[in-house]
Each structure stands twice: as structure tokens, then as C-alpha cells.
Amino acid sequence: MDITGIERAGGGGLTDPQGRRIDYVRLSVTDRCNYRCTYCMPERGIDHIDRADILSFEEILAIVRCFASLGVRRLRITGGEPTVRRDLVELVRRLRTVPGIDELSLSTNGHLLAELAVPLRAAGIARLNVSLDTLDADKFAQITRRGDVARVRAGIEAARDAGFATIKINTVAVKGFNDGEVAALCDFAWSRGLFPRFIEQMPMAGGEMFLPGELLSAQEIRDLVAAAWPQARLVPDDGGGARGAGPARYWRLDMPGGGTARRFGIISAMTEHFCDACNRVRLSASGALHACLGFDDAVNLRDVLRSDGELAVIAAIHLAISAKRPGHTFGLLGIGGPRKSMISIGG
Ligand code: SAM
């Protein structure tokens, strides 16, 4: 179908029953990952999607065109680990040409970033998130089960040189594991012109990998930052240039005598949830459209595309958005989350 036909069918906007405008898609390009972070994936026995069921580049582009016709302007490429998808750079180049898509960003564990930072930036990735849960090599190997922090740090340096608009360092906050490093991770990011963010751990996969006692809350994170800089004042902030399309709330340390703003973000799905401002949906690597990370419900756009084409995909997207829930039901004890993991819903 030609793009004008799709644009007409899209009708220009997606609003859910709560009146939330949906203009942001997290696009998973693979459910494979080269790490096995303990809060995200089991070490073994993972049921991967069959290769035949993974969306091809043509299918991804067709679905993204549909979203663009519905007013989606920003895409975040994620996974699994997106950099393990073969020819990712070529996919980015092609996504960049979809009319209506204004911004492409990418979330990565950084393992392959030293080689890929420059080509990804050149292909059109504007903003980058790199996961980094600890600066300690042994602890990093422990939490990722197979990661190499030196490699990730080299990847971050390559990304700094590559000229991304923002680079955020995403840390899943785990009590008893990295609470002692909150200040060091802030320093690491600030001293490199990067942006630290802390993520409250969520009970994905039926809460199997979630220990309630490990939940480090948004308030506890703020307290740890405040305690590390007692002479500074901690104030809410708009995030400045780091504010993307995402749900992080931002904070700033005002130092006595001024100086450069020291900002950080917190993604607090558990203790200070942001469902009322949710603007996103997630497309899994097999084309399942999840309107909410907190539930397993999905509409399979791959099947719709393969059988009925792009107009039917637009109708299916409308259907999924019309069933978007008001909010997730993650309980603080880890009860009530989805059966699926981040990698299968599209982290
Ligand atoms: N592999 C890529 C990465 O590392 O950014 C993209 C996918 S990963 C699932 C996206 C983010 O979700 C990572 O920062 C990861 O640490 C985080 N994550 C995974 N499981 C989580 C959980 N149970 N709770 C909170 N964050 C989680």
C-alpha cells in the first residue's frame, strides 16, 4: 500500500480510554540477549521465539509505518539485547527514513557498543541508554552472569566520542547489591557528561526473579543521593535535555555556590508509579503488541500483517489501545505482574 493510503487510514492519532495520548513505541528487535541479568532472565531454560516468528525488517518497517500514521513520533529500539540482531545498523538506517518518525533511540547493555557506537549514531540513533548496574568487575559479572564491565565501559567511551544527543546510564537498583554505589554511579555519569538513572526493580516473569527485600525505592534512592552530598539541596527537576519520551522523574542537586546542574532520573514503577502519564506501547520481536508492560495481553500484529496487510494492522493497533489498562498491578510483594519477562514483552 502507498503511504498516503496508510496515512488516511491512520487518521492521525492514538488515544486510549483514559485519554492518554500514545505517541511512543518500544520496539524489540530480538528476544536474545548476550547477558543473563539475575532480575531479568533465568540462567538456563529460556524459551526463545522461533526464528520464523521473528519480524523481518520489512515487517518491522511496515508496522512502524502504521504507527507513524497514527501519530507515533518516537521509537526506542530494545530487546533482548538489540545489538545482537544481525544488521541492526541497516535496520536503523531504514527506520530513519519512515515519514513521521522524528526520533530513534536505543537501549543496550553496551557489550557490543565499542564496535557499534559510531555506525549506530551515523545510521540515525539520537539517544542512547546503556545499562550499568555496578562499576565493580566481580559484581558486574555476578549480576549479568556473563558480562564484562571493562567492555561496557569501553563501549560507553566510544559512545561519548560518537556524538549522541544524550547518553543515559540505567541502573536497576537492588538493595544489598548496589545501594552502596548510588553515589559512585552518579559521579561516574556526571564526570563524563552522562545522565544517571535508577530503575526500581519490577516483578516480571511472575515475580520469579524478584525478591521484595531487594526493592530499593525511589525515596531510598533520593535519600542515598542526598546523604552523599549533604551540602547540596535536592530538588525536583524537568530533566533538561535528558528528558526523553520515557517515564523517568528527574531530580537535581543544587550545590552551594552554583555550578553545573547535577541531575539524575528515577523510574519508579513500583512505589511512585506513573501509569496516569503512560504514553507508550511495546512491540515484541515476534510482533506482539503489548499495551501495558504489567500484563501479558497482546495483539499479534505479525499475524495480522501476514494475513491481511497494513490497513488491518492499523485496525488491530486501535483495538489494542482501546483495551489499554488504566495501570499495572505490580504489587510491592511482587504479586500481580505478568507471567512474561521483559525480554518477551519488549524491555
Ligand atoms: N538489553 C537492553 C538493555 O540492557 O538496555 C535492552 C533490554 S533491557 C530488558 C532494558 C532495561 O530493563 C535494562 O536497563 C534492564 O536492566 C531493565 N530490566 C530488566 N528486567 C528488569 C526488572 N525486572 N525490573 C526493572 N528493570 C529491569
Side-chain angles (χ1 to χ4, degrees), residues 39-40 78-81 107-109 131 172 200-202 204 342:
Y39 49 75
C40 183
T78 178
E81 171 49 40
S107 290
T108 175
N109 61 26
S131 302
V172 175
E200 284 183 350
Q201 197 183 148
M202 294 175 285
M204 304 301 293
M342 289 286 269

Side-chain angles (χ1 to χ4, degrees), residues 17-321:
Q18 276 66 44
R20 296 171 296 193
R21 182 151 172 89
I22 310 302
D23 56 7
Y24 174 55
V25 173
R26 291 183 69 100
L27 175 72
S28 172
V29 294
T30 178
D31 66 332
R32 267 82 175 161
C33 189
N34 38 10
Y35 286 2
R36 292 283 179 277
C37 297
T38 51
Y39 49 75
C40 183
M41 291 169 87
E43 180 151 32
R44 271 178 270 280
I46 300 153
D47 251 347
H48 280 303
I49 303 170
D50 285 346
R51 291 199 187 269
D53 291 331
I54 298 268
L55 294 173
S56 67
F57 285 4
E58 285 64 33
E59 288 170 331
I60 291 174
L61 286 155
I63 293 173
V64 167
R65 275 199 299 275
C66 295
F67 275 115
S69 77
L70 291 162
V72 167
R73 296 290 165 259
R74 303 206 248 192
L75 289 184
R76 174 165 292 277
I77 300 171
T78 178
E81 171 49 40
T83 58
V84 305
R85 173 89 190 231
R86 187 178 306 158
D87 298 329
L88 176 70
V89 172
E90 175 57 21
L91 175 63
V92 171
R93 213 174 279 130
R94 291 172 69 180
L95 285 169
R96 197 69 199 91
T97 66
V98 175
I101 298 297
D102 298 336
E103 186 182 277
L104 292 179
S105 52
L106 180 97
S107 290
T108 175
N109 61 26
H111 190 78
L112 297 172
L113 202 50
E115 305 94 270
L116 284 174
V118 167
L120 284 170
R121 177 72 195 101
I125 297 293
R127 295 167 181 264
L128 195 67
N129 289 356
V130 185
S131 302
L132 181 65
D133 293 336
T134 170
L135 295 165
D136 180 276
D138 292 336
K139 285 168 72 181
F140 190 82
Q142 180 195 329
I143 200 157
T144 58
R145 292 206 186 93
R146 50 188 72 173
D148 176 354
V149 78
R151 254 186 103 125
V152 174
R153 291 178 69 147
I156 291 171
E157 292 312 317
R160 289 176 68 204
D161 292 341
F164 292 95
T166 55
I167 303 175
K168 293 177 192 153
I169 302 297
N170 279 344
T171 300
V172 175
V174 184
K175 196 177 276 180
F177 177 76
N178 59 10
D179 39 353
E181 282 190 87
V182 165
L185 284 156
C186 285
D187 255 341
F188 171 84
W190 290 332
S191 64
R192 290 166 174 76
L194 315 177
F195 199 95
R197 291 199 314 181
F198 299 93
I199 307 174
E200 284 183 350
Q201 197 183 148
M202 294 175 285
M204 304 301 293
E208 259 167 46
M209 290 159 286
F210 180 83
L211 295 174
E214 289 185 343
L215 178 68
L216 192 65
S217 70
Q219 185 58 52
E220 289 171 314
I221 295 165
R222 287 193 293 273
D223 289 346
L224 286 166
V225 177
W229 284 274
Q231 73 283 25
R233 214 164 54 95
L234 186 63
V235 292
D237 185 67
D238 65 3
R243 172 162 290 287
R249 296 208 175 102
Y250 294 93
W251 300 83
R252 190 182 71 234
L253 278 180
D254 281 344
M255 308 305 280
T260 317
R262 296 179 175 191
R263 297 183 158 112
F264 64 98
I266 304 181
I267 301 179
S268 51
M270 301 295 287
T271 65
E272 298 171 3
H273 77 74
F274 35 79
C275 298
D276 54 345
C278 185
N279 64 340
R280 77 256 331 274
V281 291
R282 294 163 191 269
L283 187 71
S284 81
S286 60
L289 179 62
H290 291 269
C292 174
L293 178 65
F295 294 93
D296 292 316
D297 329 359
V299 172
N300 197 300
L301 299 184
R302 178 203 63 219
D303 294 346
V304 176
L305 181 69
R306 288 183 187 174
S307 59
D308 298 309
E310 293 181 32
L311 275 181
V313 169
I314 288 175
I317 294 172
H318 276 298
L319 188 69
I321 303 296

